């Protein structure tokens, strides 16, 4: 069945109905061009309890595929009256929200932030104050590199009720897809999630540059810093032979994985010219990703050693 | 008068027919959001649509009422106005055509109603109550949405592509039905769900005469609350022949599993009475070799302290096909329910998961870690199963420089109805645990982020959610 762009607006793509005077879409963005009705403006649908206080659900959407959505997230989506979603949330997931739900892409994607956090916060509050159930749908899990605390504090400052629902984080999705454990008996006693994307864009590896070979490291949104991370870990005493796996679009059908050793990491990242979100796994456990070659079906063709 | 069939049930008030729209024309007469919603629906079908917008408020529409001739070839007519007078005028015009008519929200003016629809491509499901109970229809739709995940769209496309080939190969209807049953629970269907329809058809045709082979799915059940099960985990549970689970899987989760699946419980309290790991491996291999679809259900995520890696290795060595479905690991579930982030731009740039408990058969000490790295400030440390070794962990951290006043949140039975949280600090952790020993599985969050925990949040939120539900 052909799907018209109206049915599920992609980020920055078609928007079927723009609530008048309520929402400013992505700043400086071109008006959506795919929708034949993009000039049309409808007032926000009225709901019975409009004078009632709204509510915000901060929901982890998981890695992108609707399969990895939790039942709780599905319920929140189905009762959403306004949906603010990240760029990486798939159309399948957006289509689960009611048709009359206002869907707004706040386009957060690592460094490519099309709507500022302040604007997202303000928008959330404005919609909630209309008495709506607002769902703030975030890629992966909200508690890990999701800046969820800033949103919660803002909601509390405006006396708006909220609830957080966890999601499958990208590291778990990647591990399942490429069959490597994050912890493993006798070889990987702990796992650390880090990001190279700090407030000022720098990466701080003071305490993370641990030489302990028994720790699995997973870097989120850090591929631009691969050379720095590689050098720091080698300097800290990590073995040059430490297995490394680099995964793009973890948990999605389009996922791609590269494997190698720590000394090859930056070169692999540079060669791959990734476009989707990238995870970098460093540690003995990631050596098992090669086992995916044995019998994991379609994935094997994509695992390039 | 309502009357039912002979066994005394009230009759269906409406028949949920399906209406093919390829090469057909649909006429929409309407205005505003109502018209847009119906247009969005029709645009998901292959129908040609003509839109009349008498209020001239829609672009790409004719800004007037239709002429009778313009309605003559319509296959369906939909009238969508927010206003009874306009709706009646539209309905009056539509009556000049023989096409069935739906007037949105005015069932008395309509020939047919549009059911609540679950759109899975070739597969579409309608829920109708004859207009009598729209809320019931919507609730039913929600339940079906969860049971028929969006990946069913790909399965439907796969089945449509395979159907003519299978009809040629297996002319006998009963044999073909059995073949379908096998195919729809086979790896070919899993491949189709990933969108690789052609490969899936090829695989299904290759395996058509092969005996059914067993498969093991390692599935993360999430942190306890059945609502935190993923759609894929729910689907695998509803298709399983055999389910192997342990004490970290919430009871509510098992209630969602297929009722006639064989269930094997392999874990009780900590390591004391649980089935040794190698016997779990044997059980999985044995059941898979019987041709069963086995789900190995694990609390949280299979690859975070779940020994999933060992099970994958053992199954592969035995030549058993194995697939892994991720889950929400306990740290994420607990962080969300306590409204505490694990990373924070000011307080923690990274988070480490460690386990305080040595699994049976694992003689290496899980606490043999680089404690000077773990003791750094601005870093969150999450300890799984850390109750028994809490004192040792707190000692090691403070000895390596973590401040004794570092906030610590202890969460027992995280995400379950009986969740209990205690906010303390590193220096008092061992005594706090000794004073209130957790009975269920407990998770310890150590770091500046724990101080963001607000005790009263939960009650307020539950109340607000109830109002909004």
């Amino acid at each position: 069945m052909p799907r018209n762009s109206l049915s599920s607006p992609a980020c920055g793509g078609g928007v079927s109905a723009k609530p008048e005077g309520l929402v400013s879409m992505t700043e400086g963005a071109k008006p959506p061009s795919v929708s034949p009705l993009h000039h049309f403006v409808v007032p926000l649908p009225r709901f019975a309890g409009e004078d009632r206080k709204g509510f915000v659900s901060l929901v982890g959407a998981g890695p992108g595929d609707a399969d990895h959505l939790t039942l709780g997230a599905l319920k929140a989506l189905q009762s959403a009256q306004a949906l603010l979603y990240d760029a990486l949330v798939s159309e399948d997931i957006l289509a689960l929200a009611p048709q009359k739900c206002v869907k707004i892409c706040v386009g957060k994607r690592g460094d490519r932030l099309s709507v500022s956090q302040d604007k997202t916060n303000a928008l959330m509050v404005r919609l909630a104050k209309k008495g709506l159930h607002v769902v703030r749908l975030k890629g992966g899990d909200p508690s890990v590199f999701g800046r969820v605390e800033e949103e919660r504090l803002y909601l509390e400052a405006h006396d708006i009720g909220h609830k957080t629902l966890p999601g499958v984080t990208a590291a778990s999705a990647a591990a399942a897809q490429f069959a490597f454990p994050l912890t493993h008996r006798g070889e990987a006693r702990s796992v650390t999630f880090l990001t190279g994307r700090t407030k000022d864009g720098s990466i701080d590896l003071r305490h993370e540059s641990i030489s302990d070979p028994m720790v699995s490291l997973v870097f989120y949104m850090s591929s631009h810093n691969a050379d720095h991370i590689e050098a720091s870990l080698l300097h800290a005493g990590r073995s040059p032979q430490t297995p490394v796996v680099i995964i793009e679009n973890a948990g999605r059908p389009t996922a791609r994985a590269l494997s190698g050793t720590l000394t090859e990491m930056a070169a692999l990242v540079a060669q791959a010219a990734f476009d989707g979100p990238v995870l970098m796994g460093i540690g003995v456990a990631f050596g098992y990703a090669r086992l995916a070659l044995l019998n994991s079906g379609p994935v094997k063709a994509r695992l390039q050693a | 008068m309502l009357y039912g069939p002979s066994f005394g049930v009230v009759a269906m008030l409406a028949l949920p027919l399906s209406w093919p729209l390829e090469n057909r024309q649909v006429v929409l007469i309407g205005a505003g959001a109502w018209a847009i919603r119906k247009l969005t629906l029709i645009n998901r079908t292959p129908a040609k649509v003509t839109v009349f917008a008498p209020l001239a408020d829609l672009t790409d529409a004719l800004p007037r009422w239709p002429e009778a001739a313009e309605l003559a070839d319509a296959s369906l007519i939909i009238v969508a106005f927010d206003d009874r007078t306009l709706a009646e005028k539209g309905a009056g015009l539509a009556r000049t055509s023989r096409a069935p008519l739906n007037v949105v929200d005015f069932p008395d003016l309509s020939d047919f109603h549009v059911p609540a629809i679950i759109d899975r491509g070739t597969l579409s499901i309608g829920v109708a109550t004859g207009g009598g109970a729209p809320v019931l229809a919507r609730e039913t739709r929600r339940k079906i949405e969860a049971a028929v995940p969006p990946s069913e769209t790909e399965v439907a496309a796969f089945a449509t592509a395979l159907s003519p080939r299978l009809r040629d190969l297996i002319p006998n209807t009963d044999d073909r039905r059995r073949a379908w049953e096998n195919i729809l629970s086979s790896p070919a269907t899993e491949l189709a769900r990933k969108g690789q329809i052609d490969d899936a058809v090829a695989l299904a045709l290759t395996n058509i005469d092969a005996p059914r082979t067993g498969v093991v799915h390692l599935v993360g059940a999430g942190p306890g609350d059945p609502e935190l099960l993923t759609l894929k985990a729910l689907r695998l549970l509803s298709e399983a022949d055999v389910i192997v689970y342990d004490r970290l899987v919430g009871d509510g989760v098992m209630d969602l599993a297929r009722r006639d699946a064989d269930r094997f419980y392999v874990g009780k309290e900590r390591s004391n009475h649980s089935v040794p790991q190698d016997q779990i491996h044997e059980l999985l291999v044995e059941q898979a070799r019987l041709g069963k679809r086995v789900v190995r259900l694990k609390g949280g995520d299979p690859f975070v302290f779940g020994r999933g890696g060992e099970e994958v290795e053992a199954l592969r060595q035995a030549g058993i096909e194995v697939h892994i479905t991720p889950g929400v690991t306990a740290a994420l579930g607990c962080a969300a329910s306590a409204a505490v982030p694990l990373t924070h731009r000011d307080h923690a740039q990274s988070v480490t998961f460690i386990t305080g408990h040595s699994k049976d058969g694992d003689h290496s000490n899980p606490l043999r870690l680089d404690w000077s790295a773990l003791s750094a400030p601005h870093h969150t440390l999450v300890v799984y199963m850390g109750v028994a070794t809490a004192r040792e962990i707190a000692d090691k951290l403070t000895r390596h420089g973590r401040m004794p006043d570092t906030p610590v949140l202890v969460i027992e039975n995280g995400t379950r109805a009986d969740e209990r949280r205690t906010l303390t600090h590193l220096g008092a952790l061992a005594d706090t645990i000794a004073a209130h020993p957790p009975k269920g599985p407990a998770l310890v969050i150590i770091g500046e982020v724990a101080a963001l925990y607000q005790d009263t949040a939960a009650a307020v939120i539950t109340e607000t959610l109830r109002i909004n539900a």
Side-chain angles (χ1 to χ4, degrees):
Chain A
M1 197 186 288
R3 280 166 187 269
N4 186 286
S5 58
L6 271 175
S7 63
S8 48
C11 197
V15 173
S16 56
K18 179 178 170 183
E20 186 173 22
L22 184 68
V23 174
S24 85
M25 277 298 299
T26 52
E27 298 151 88
K30 278 177 251 153
S33 55
V34 280
S35 160
L37 297 164
H38 66 266
H39 297 304
F40 177 70
V41 171
V42 270
L44 197 68
R46 293 179 68 84
F47 296 99
E50 203 152 315
D51 51 340
R52 191 168 70 192
K53 233 193 258 178
F55 186 84
V56 177
S57 298
L58 302 152
V59 179
D65 206 62
D67 257 1
H68 298 312
L69 208 61
T70 67
L71 298 177
L74 173 67
K75 279 194 182 167
L77 272 174
Q78 287 173 332
S79 63
Q81 293 167 316
L83 178 64
L84 305 185
Y85 61 97
D86 281 354
L88 294 169
V89 173
S90 73
E91 297 213 350
D92 271 357
I93 292 178
L94 297 178
L96 295 168
Q99 269 185 47
K100 63 185 173 192
C101 169
V102 178
K103 296 170 189 155
I104 301 157
C105 175
V106 293
K108 194 182 289 188
R109 165 76 211 281
D111 51 337
R112 298 170 226 177
L113 197 68
S114 47
V115 176
S116 69
Q117 185 68 52
D118 289 348
K119 290 227 166 165
T120 302
N121 290 348
L123 191 53
M124 228 164 32
V125 166
R126 274 169 86 180
L127 290 163
K129 284 198 167 160
K130 300 224 166 237
L132 304 182
H133 176 208
V134 180
V135 171
R136 171 74 182 95
L137 196 60
K138 301 163 91 71
D141 175 76
S143 304
V144 177
F145 310 124
R147 298 180 66 172
V148 68
E149 192 58 26
E150 292 167 54
E151 295 176 2
R152 280 196 291 243
L153 286 175
Y154 196 86
L155 293 171
E156 269 158 31
H158 289 83
D159 200 24
I160 289 166
H162 59 83
K163 179 188 186 174
T164 309
L165 296 178
V168 172
T169 191
S172 288
Q177 206 170 13
F178 293 97
F180 53 82
L182 295 171
T183 65
H184 197 57
R185 185 169 78 122
E187 294 183 3
R189 290 201 195 102
S190 71
V191 57
T192 297
F193 300 158
L194 318 88
T195 182
R197 194 158 306 286
T198 51
K199 215 178 214 169
D200 55 3
S202 68
I203 184 158
D204 178 3
L205 287 169
R206 263 174 315 167
H207 23 277
E208 282 81 41
S209 58
I210 32 183
S211 48
D212 187 350
M214 297 285 257
V215 178
S216 303
L217 300 176
V218 182
F219 283 86
Y220 283 64
M221 303 173 286
S222 307
S223 56
H224 63 295
N225 261 330
D227 49 356
H228 176 56
I229 293 167
E230 179 186 313
S232 303
L233 293 178
L234 289 170
H235 180 74
R238 276 270 181 162
S239 161
Q241 300 309 313
T242 305
V244 163
V245 175
I246 303 150
I247 303 112
E248 183 193 26
N249 294 324
R252 301 181 151 221
T254 52
R256 197 154 62 111
L258 300 166
S259 65
T261 61
L262 183 53
T263 48
E264 298 164 345
M265 187 170 80
L268 283 171
V269 169
Q271 273 167 27
F274 293 117
D275 185 47
V278 175
L279 279 185
M280 302 190 298
I282 302 155
V284 181
F286 301 101
Y288 287 92
R290 292 192 185 84
L291 293 180
L293 287 167
L294 294 180
N295 69 358
S296 69
V299 162
K300 71 181 173 192
R302 296 174 181 273
L303 188 83
Q304 301 152 20
Chain B
M1 182 180 117
L2 286 181
Y3 58 94
S6 55
F7 46 88
V9 180
V10 173
M12 284 189 283
L13 285 175
L15 202 58
L17 304 170
S18 71
W19 194 271
L21 283 172
E22 199 148 21
N23 300 320
R24 303 290 174 101
Q25 194 201 16
V26 174
V27 172
L28 175 69
I29 311 165
W34 290 25
I36 292 225
R37 248 174 258 149
K38 281 295 168 251
L39 184 58
T40 307
L41 176 67
I42 299 300
N43 271 332
R44 275 147 66 184
T45 75
K48 287 173 285 186
V49 195
T50 309
V51 184
F52 292 93
L55 304 185
D57 60 345
L58 303 177
T59 55
D60 287 7
L62 299 161
R64 56 177 173 78
W65 294 99
E67 307 286 337
E70 290 170 313
L71 302 175
D73 295 332
S75 172
L76 292 175
I77 300 175
I78 297 172
V79 172
F81 290 101
D82 189 357
D83 173 273
R84 173 104 196 173
T85 317
L86 289 170
E88 278 175 354
K89 179 165 183 195
L93 289 168
R95 290 287 172 212
T96 62
S97 163
R98 290 166 62 182
L101 168 68
N102 171 252
V103 185
V104 177
D105 221 37
F106 297 112
D108 57 309
L109 299 176
S110 303
D111 298 326
F112 69 94
H113 308 150
V114 179
I117 292 171
I118 299 117
D119 174 10
R120 296 292 181 260
T122 328
L123 173 71
S124 58
I125 303 163
V127 181
T129 56
V135 177
L136 177 64
R138 212 168 58 220
E139 284 305 308
T140 308
R141 197 193 110 191
R142 283 190 193 187
K143 290 179 196 157
I144 297 174
E145 289 261 20
V148 186
S151 61
E152 216 68 24
T153 308
E154 276 74 38
V155 176
F158 160 68
T160 309
L162 183 61
S163 185
R165 310 282 294 274
L166 215 57
R167 207 174 300 131
D168 291 344
L169 276 170
I170 312 174
N172 179 292
T173 321
D174 283 345
D175 292 347
R176 199 162 64 235
R177 182 178 49 77
R178 270 189 290 275
W180 268 121
E181 283 169 4
N182 279 336
I183 289 167
L184 289 177
S185 61
S186 76
T189 301
E190 286 302 313
L191 203 54
R193 284 185 196 281
K194 292 173 184 155
Q196 289 156 284
I197 309 290
D198 295 342
D199 294 348
V201 169
L203 185 63
L205 293 173
T206 313
N207 290 344
I208 203 121
D209 295 320
R212 197 171 129 179
T213 54
V215 55
V216 176
H217 286 274
L218 255 61
V219 179
D225 179 354
E227 297 262 295
L228 299 180
L229 205 63
T230 66
L231 298 184
K232 185 172 184 186
L234 178 68
R235 175 167 58 76
L236 292 171
L237 277 177
S238 65
E239 291 172 0
D241 299 318
V242 174
I243 300 167
V244 179
Y245 68 107
D246 53 49
R247 74 178 185 103
L248 292 172
V249 172
D251 295 340
V253 171
M254 289 304 291
D255 292 343
L256 298 171
R258 194 176 133 197
R259 290 196 193 283
D260 51 357
D262 293 333
R263 298 173 184 211
F264 292 90
Y265 181 67
V266 293
K268 284 182 185 167
E269 295 304 312
R270 301 228 164 74
S271 60
N272 301 340
H273 310 287
S274 59
V275 177
Q277 191 64 38
D278 53 354
Q279 282 181 34
I280 295 176
H281 296 167
E282 280 168 30
L283 176 65
L284 296 175
V285 169
E286 176 192 293
Q287 293 295 320
R289 285 200 172 136
L290 293 172
K292 302 276 179 71
R293 280 164 295 178
V294 182
V295 166
R296 170 68 174 114
L297 193 63
K298 303 170 94 62
D301 178 74
F303 279 158
V304 177
F305 307 121
R307 304 190 74 169
E310 291 163 63
E311 292 177 10
V312 169
E313 271 182 272
L315 290 162
R316 285 194 166 153
Q317 273 165 22
I320 308 286
E321 183 176 329
V322 53
H323 297 271
I324 302 122
T325 299
V328 173
T329 188
L332 307 184
C334 291
S337 73
V340 166
L342 295 176
T343 65
H344 190 283
R345 290 208 301 170
D346 302 324
H347 302 303
Q349 276 82 50
S350 56
V351 56
T352 296
F353 302 160
I354 68 171
T355 178
H357 166 61
S358 178
K359 298 263 175 64
D360 66 318
D362 184 356
H363 297 298
S364 64
N365 183 351
L367 297 183
R368 218 169 60 204
L369 297 162
D370 182 348
W371 288 95
S372 59
L374 293 176
S375 302
H378 301 297
H379 173 85
T380 306
L381 186 62
V382 180
V383 190
Y384 285 64
M385 295 174 279
V387 168
T389 44
R391 187 175 298 277
E392 192 183 345
I393 289 167
D395 283 351
K396 283 182 192 291
L397 287 171
T398 43
R399 219 179 319 125
H400 286 88
R402 201 71 153 122
M403 298 306 290
D405 63 357
T406 305
V408 177
L409 186 62
V410 181
I411 301 170
E412 178 190 352
N413 292 325
T415 79
R416 301 182 196 207
D418 53 353
E419 174 168 346
R420 200 179 65 159
R421 310 179 196 122
T422 315
L423 184 63
T424 177
H425 57 271
L426 201 53
L429 174 62
D431 292 340
T432 307
I433 284 178
H436 314 277
K439 290 169 208 79
L443 191 94
V444 183
I445 298 175
I446 303 169
E448 290 78 358
V449 292
L452 296 166
Y453 173 62
Q454 289 173 322
D455 214 358
T456 52
V460 176
I461 287 164
T462 314
E463 188 53 34
T464 323
L465 191 67
R466 197 174 303 127
I467 295 168
N468 279 273

